[in-house]
């Protein structure tokens, strides 16, 4: 019984944190930057995050793919020629 009580006390209520992220886009942006910085140094985490985005966050995946495509399009012609 005491173990269950301790587990309940140690469990953080993250709802206020999530609500703050929803309410403040700047805070969400900062939290994502921190998270991505942490993931950057863990190769297994990078792959897991990429798979999660691909499978569960289709809109984000599509935006990343579109950004990647537009970056490749920009690099396809020499800057001196202006695409002519």
């Amino acid at each position: 019984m005491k173990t269950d009580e301790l587990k309940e006390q140690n469990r953080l209520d993250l709802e206020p944190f999530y609500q703050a992220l929803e309410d403040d886009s700047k805070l969400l942006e900062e939290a994502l930057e921190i998270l991505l910085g942490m993931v950057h140094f863990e190769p297994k985490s990078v792959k897991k995050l990429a798979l999660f985005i691909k499978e569960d966050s289709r809109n984000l995946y599509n935006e990343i793919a579109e950004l990647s495509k537009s970056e490749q399009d920009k690099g396809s012609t020499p800057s001196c020629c202006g695409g002519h």
Side-chain angles (χ1 to χ4, degrees), residues 65-79:
E66 190 63 35
L67 286 171
S68 177
K69 181 181 168 193
S70 66
E71 287 298 316
Q72 288 175 354
D73 290 345
K74 286 180 185 176
S76 64
T77 58
S79 60

Side-chain angles (χ1 to χ4, degrees), residues 24-41:
D24 185 349
S25 62
K26 184 69 177 165
L27 184 61
L28 176 60
E29 212 173 287
E30 289 175 13
L32 286 172
E33 282 183 41
I34 291 168
L35 175 64
L36 291 174
M38 293 167 62
V39 168
H40 178 72
F41 295 106

Side-chain angles (χ1 to χ4, degrees), residues 10-75:
N10 289 334
R11 185 176 298 156
L12 292 174
D13 181 14
L14 295 176
E15 193 58 38
F17 174 71
Y18 297 142
Q19 189 62 51
L21 293 178
E22 285 182 22
D23 293 344
D24 185 349
S25 62
K26 184 69 177 165
L27 184 61
L28 176 60
E29 212 173 287
E30 289 175 13
L32 286 172
E33 282 183 41
I34 291 168
L35 175 64
L36 291 174
M38 293 167 62
V39 168
H40 178 72
F41 295 106
E42 293 292 329
K44 288 181 182 178
S45 295
V46 170
K47 187 169 186 171
K48 286 180 183 179
L49 181 59
L51 287 172
F52 173 77
I53 290 170
K54 185 176 181 184
E55 294 171 3
D56 295 340
S57 302
R58 205 67 192 157
N59 290 338
L60 180 56
Y61 177 78
N62 291 340
E63 283 296 322
I64 292 169
E66 190 63 35
L67 286 171
S68 177
K69 181 181 168 193
S70 66
E71 287 298 316
Q72 288 175 354
D73 290 345
K74 286 180 185 176

